[in-house]
Amino acid sequence: MADLATLLGELERLVQECATQLGQASSSEELEAVRVEHLGRKGRMAGAMSALPSLGPEDKPVAGRKANEVKARLTAMLEARQTELDRAAEAEKLASFDPTLPGRTPPVGSLHPVTLVTREICDVFAGLGFDVVDGPEVENDWYNFEALNMPPDHPARDMQDTLYVTDSIVLRTHTSPLQVRSMLAQKPPVAVVAPGKVYRRDSDLTHTPMFHQIEGLLVDRKVSMADLRGTLTAFVRRIFGPETNVRFRPSFFPFTEPSAEVDISCVMCGGTGHIHGETCRVCKQTGWVEILGCGMVDPNVYGFVDYDPELYTGFAFGLGVERVAMLKYGIGDLRMFFENDVRFLSQFS
Ligand code: DAH
């Protein structure tokens, strides 16, 4: 017959030993091993209880109560240790994480300098009462050339290396067809600027097959060359600063008469031709840089859009956006605009 005192002693020892082992267990796996060893189906608890059937009848309930109590204590101890381990793991995670670190900001893009300058120029003219319009890049010969006073065999067509789609359809070589489209779309007064891409069969250090222009047109009664001068001077000073000087040089365009090219005092050297005693490379020592072409709309053009040249006069101008951007930002190489190197572009954010 088994001895009650021995069984009770063994159960108590089991609790002690479980406590010691739990203190050393440092992971959920180790904890599970301790549980199996003590409370498992073939564990020490079960082993000790195998003596139960051979206890005397009055000892059995005593041993049974003790067994239940020990089982509850073991379970509670295991749970407590698991909680302790969970807390430690959580604390460790927090210790290796600095919640005060700044978050990671995703890189934000910026507008292309051509877009920036286009918007800036259009804003200036919008402030002067001009509408901003656009039109097709694939254009009829008639709008691109003929209605601009360049009949099919006109030598001025050679000024622009045209990319032909068909015999009568071209990639527009300038934004000037928007003059024609605008005049056909409305009666005077007309005041528009038309930004957009233009295409030419031309590619070298200072020319790209595609670039951007902005066309301007103002037609009304009694518009004079003085209005042209005043408007362009105001525009240039808004873009390049109030100190900028302007000069008009006689020139030729088939759709304007008279025509002029406009120079501004060099933005690099302030018109002196020198920087710190060295020759200014931007204006090649002249103190002036060319910025746009312009003129009074040729009366022949009015014939194509059914405007009365006795009643209306107007001026037009066209400028290259990349050129303005190069002068404004001091960019020396036209190719920068098209390479889309992020190191270049991010400087305009
Ligand atoms: N269309 C001309 C070009 O691409 C630029 C130009 C010159 C436009 C004089 C005009 C103008 O409106 O009046 O070279």
Side-chain angles (χ1 to χ4, degrees):
M1 222 209 257
D3 175 14
L4 178 65
T6 310
L7 178 55
L8 295 183
E10 208 171 313
L11 287 174
E12 200 53 49
R13 204 164 48 248
L14 223 130
V15 174
Q16 300 308 321
E17 284 176 19
C18 183
T20 309
Q21 284 182 28
L22 280 179
Q24 288 159 3
S26 57
S27 68
S28 294
E29 292 75 35
E30 286 172 25
L31 212 65
E32 176 61 8
V34 176
R35 191 193 65 77
V36 171
E37 184 182 336
H38 290 86
L39 289 174
R41 224 157 31 84
K42 294 180 183 157
R44 294 177 62 179
M45 180 86 187
M49 293 313 287
S50 63
L52 192 69
S54 52
L55 284 181
E58 64 279 21
D59 290 344
K60 277 185 185 167
V62 181
R65 267 198 303 277
K66 182 70 179 172
N68 283 338
E69 178 215 313
V70 164
K71 197 172 167 187
R73 279 165 71 190
L74 289 178
T75 306
M77 282 159 63
L78 281 156
E79 268 171 18
R81 183 62 180 152
Q82 182 66 59
T83 307
E84 239 172 70
L85 288 179
D86 287 350
R87 290 223 179 99
E90 188 68 12
E92 199 181 334
K93 221 164 43 184
L94 281 176
S96 63
F97 161 72
D98 181 355
T100 66
L101 278 176
R104 275 188 210 124
T105 316
V108 177
S110 52
L111 290 175
H112 193 282
V114 167
T115 305
L116 287 174
V117 169
T118 300
R119 287 192 183 175
E120 199 179 335
I121 293 172
C122 289
D123 280 352
V124 170
F125 282 102
L128 294 170
F130 286 70
D131 291 328
V132 180
V133 298
D134 65 6
E137 291 170 27
V138 181
E139 185 60 286
N140 284 312
D141 182 282
W142 190 81
Y143 290 99
N144 195 82
F145 291 122
E146 206 157 335
L148 288 166
N149 205 24
M150 281 181 274
D153 50 3
H154 196 285
R157 290 193 175 204
D158 295 343
M159 286 165 72
Q160 306 177 346
D161 295 295
T162 310
L163 288 156
Y164 282 88
V165 178
T166 70
D167 279 351
S168 59
I169 298 174
V170 301
L171 297 187
R172 68 178 175 197
T173 58
H174 50 182
T175 42
S176 301
L178 266 306
Q179 289 186 31
V180 180
R181 289 183 172 276
S182 300
M183 287 190 278
L184 284 173
Q186 64 180 108
K187 290 289 156 207
V190 177
V192 293
V193 282
K197 292 180 165 74
V198 301
Y199 302 84
R200 293 184 192 180
R201 230 183 60 218
D202 208 353
S203 184
D204 59 35
L205 273 186
T206 52
H207 298 89
T208 46
M210 183 282 290
F211 61 101
H212 299 79
Q213 285 189 338
I214 297 178
E215 192 77 13
L217 175 73
L218 178 88
V219 180
D220 200 356
R221 290 167 196 257
K222 298 199 171 77
V223 175
S224 74
M225 195 117 186
D227 297 314
L228 172 59
R229 260 194 95 95
T231 303
L232 291 183
T233 304
F235 152 68
V236 156
R237 291 189 171 158
R238 282 285 301 279
I239 298 293
F240 292 101
E243 309 297 318
T244 314
N245 284 322
V246 179
R247 81 176 179 187
F248 283 59
R249 266 185 300 106
S251 185
F252 171 79
F253 298 101
F255 35 89
T256 44
E257 181 58 35
S259 302
E261 279 169 306
V262 174
D263 296 339
I264 58 170
S265 50
C266 179
V267 291
M268 261 319 146
C269 61
T272 62
H274 298 278
I275 303 172
H276 309 308
E278 303 249 352
T279 303
C280 176
R281 274 187 288 149
V282 171
C283 65
K284 307 202 176 62
Q285 217 180 325
T286 62
W288 296 98
V289 286
E290 189 193 319
I291 182 98
L292 56 82
C294 64
M296 301 307 292
V297 178
D298 192 305
N300 282 347
V301 174
Y302 294 135
F304 287 100
V305 298
D306 218 11
Y307 275 15
D308 183 353
E310 299 297 324
L311 214 51
Y312 300 112
T313 51
F315 64 73
F317 58 89
L319 57 82
V321 177
E322 282 83 358
R323 176 151 183 84
V324 173
M326 285 173 86
L327 292 170
K328 190 173 165 62
Y329 295 118
I331 298 162
D333 188 339
L334 178 67
R335 292 168 299 183
M336 296 277 215
F337 292 110
F338 303 99
E339 282 168 354
N340 290 326
D341 185 327
V342 175
R343 292 168 299 180
F344 170 71
L345 296 177
S346 62
Q347 295 178 56
F348 299 92
S349 53

